Amino acid sequence: MNRNKSTETAKAEPNRPNHQTIRWDRYEMNLSDYYGTRIEPTGRVLRLVIDAVNECNLRCRYCHPGEVWRNQQLDATVVQQALSAAEDAGTLEVVLTGGEMMMHHQLHAVLDSTQLLRQCASALITNATLITSDIARRLSGSNLTRICTSVDGVTNDLHGSARGKNLPRVLEGLHMLAGTGKPITVITVVHRGNWERVIELSKYLAGRKLAAQHHLCAPSYSGQAREHYPELALREHEFHGVQALVDEHQADLYARGLYLTFNSFWPATGEVPRRTGRTITLQQLSEQVKDTLCNIRPNGEFRLQATTWGREMVGNAVLGSVHDQPPRHLLRNAESVLASGSAMQLPREIEARHKFQIGTHYETEERQATDLLISRTGGDVSDVELVPIRSVDKHWALENSFDIPKLAAELKIEPQDRRVLHHPTGVVLVFHRHHSLVTVLRPAEWNAVRRELASQERQSA
């Protein structure tokens, strides 16, 4: 991983006094421990998604895979190597998904491998229909940080409008997942058939304490979803409608213990959610800053996500295969490519037009233009407009205000759940491991938080 000299020096001398000061990109920062947790350097790859299995027992109409599910899985040893690489690289979170993870032939070994993680958070995504008491027990005993599952509506008709009417089985699985003691994130794909009543599901989850977070996302024009996209896709005014519902109910639901967010709003519209502040989900950050996420596919491909969405990619985003090179080497290679600035992305509005078909009327020739774009997986894409990746230190959240005493108090109360990291661009990231939330701070702002922490400590002494 490419880090500047001062970062390497700090890491190579862990036994130096806590209250050292180093120069970092022309400003000074105190590297003292904050309640026993060292402020860490990190690379650009903040999130690694491992698609460990290419099989599923459901056939949701909005699903990403572009071909019929087939028996294709990453060996548990490869998953273990990827987790170790992420831990050593300072990655914030690894996501285990597929396909349906409960269909992995070596599920027990995969869950056991999460014990390798100490700082790196880990999430597992499941549709909850195959959860048994034995699996729930193994999930509980794993080192997973959180579990994500998908529910699309509060009634069987709403839930099943694009994924099959299996809500009773899903809720049974969700209750078992909630019983593992792991924080639960419910993911809802909001489409034309369910978005107007999605808050009913949020209130249901909050009222029964079934989830800590409710993430809404729109279907993308990807894989087998292409066939059904005209009936599923949100139109631009409906993206605003979903966000309006979130804005209206977010504070009340948060007070009841449920964090509600719409991950697809900014990528689709380019508009900033008005209640965001400085904190967003790590998934939102990885969708908005394209040099923060890598993906390992079930066939072993190690991909940059700079020019990809769903299971689609423009040009050649594949850096290699975990069957030919260790994940550690591929992750290092990804860091080098991203640090060099050679990785480019589609402009946000162009990606929105193709990913969400924003501004189109789903006419044949418009869909064909997208089909042509995402079929260019290895050839010349010189006629496609690509732009430099917008870096974390230019993120729009940095223009929002934040409550310094409140953040300091949260850090003091839950130090074991937080990581504070130096990003290569110079900004400071405060990561909540169990909720997968990132707070973005300028260096001077972090120093203000640190001073507030010291002040609060003196007052409580």
Side-chain angles (χ1 to χ4, degrees), residues 168-365:
R169 182 67 189 98
V170 169
L171 291 180
E172 181 183 351
L174 177 57
H175 277 87
M176 285 193 281
L177 293 175
T180 65
K182 307 288 185 182
I184 304 298
T185 296
V186 168
I187 302 168
T188 296
V189 178
V190 285
H191 53 80
R192 289 192 190 177
N194 70 351
W195 75 267
E196 292 178 292
R197 296 181 60 186
V198 70
I199 296 301
E200 295 177 38
L201 176 58
S202 301
K203 293 178 178 178
Y204 176 89
L205 297 171
R208 289 159 178 78
K209 307 297 183 186
L210 287 173
Q213 298 193 43
H214 189 193
H215 291 190
L216 312 182
C217 61
S220 62
Y221 187 81
S222 175
Q224 67 187 36
R226 297 189 219 173
E227 179 183 350
H228 307 287
Y229 210 67
E231 306 94 63
L232 294 172
L234 294 179
R235 290 156 290 192
E236 189 165 5
H237 74 274
E238 291 170 326
F239 278 94
H240 285 87
V242 175
Q243 186 61 47
L245 288 172
V246 172
D247 289 340
E248 179 183 355
H249 297 279
Q250 193 173 45
D252 176 64
L253 289 166
Y254 187 74
R256 297 169 61 188
L258 185 76
Y259 179 91
L260 174 67
T261 189
F262 183 25
N263 289 333
S264 304
F265 182 65
W266 184 90
T269 68
E271 297 183 27
V272 176
R274 60 188 179 91
R275 294 183 181 271
T276 301
R278 287 297 185 87
T279 301
I280 60 176
T281 67
L282 183 57
Q283 179 180 338
Q284 286 173 318
L285 184 66
S286 64
E287 288 188 2
Q288 296 168 17
V289 181
K290 296 293 187 176
D291 64 351
T292 56
L293 173 64
C294 287
N295 178 218
I296 303 176
R297 297 288 291 121
N299 64 358
E301 287 181 350
F302 190 103
R303 294 185 182 182
L304 291 177
Q305 291 295 101
T307 54
T308 71
W309 66 82
R311 297 298 182 263
E312 311 298 352
M313 63 180 174
V314 178
N316 188 5
V318 179
L319 293 182
S321 171
V322 293
H323 300 314
D324 300 324
Q325 301 178 66
R328 187 180 309 275
H329 293 174
L330 292 166
L331 192 54
R332 235 181 248 135
N333 188 18
E335 285 287 343
S336 297
V337 171
L338 295 171
S340 72
S342 60
M344 307 283 277
Q345 69 174 80
L346 288 166
R348 188 215 57 80
E349 62 275 13
I350 300 299
E351 183 177 277
R353 182 175 181 85
H354 292 290
K355 178 178 180 178
F356 298 115
Q357 300 289 288
I358 293 291
T360 74
H361 300 286
Y362 312 111
E363 297 174 358
T364 302
E365 61 269 22

Side-chain angles (χ1 to χ4, degrees), residues 17 28 34 39 43 87 111 120 122 129 147 150 186 207 220 222 236 279 300 316 321 326 435 452:
E28 290 190 349
Y34 108 82
I39 302 174
E87 173 76 14
L111 293 178
C120 182
S122 56
T129 62
I147 300 173
S150 49
V186 168
S220 62
S222 175
E236 189 165 5
T279 301
N316 188 5
S321 171
H435 291 164
E452 177 64 24

Side-chain angles (χ1 to χ4, degrees), residues 35-64:
Y35 291 92
T37 302
R38 191 173 71 87
I39 302 174
E40 314 163 51
T42 188
R44 293 179 183 271
V45 179
L46 302 178
R47 194 165 182 251
L48 178 63
V49 174
I50 304 174
D51 295 320
V53 55
N54 195 21
E55 300 173 60
C56 189
N57 61 314
L58 302 182
R59 296 295 183 268
C60 304
R61 292 198 298 156
Y62 49 65
C63 202
H64 291 156

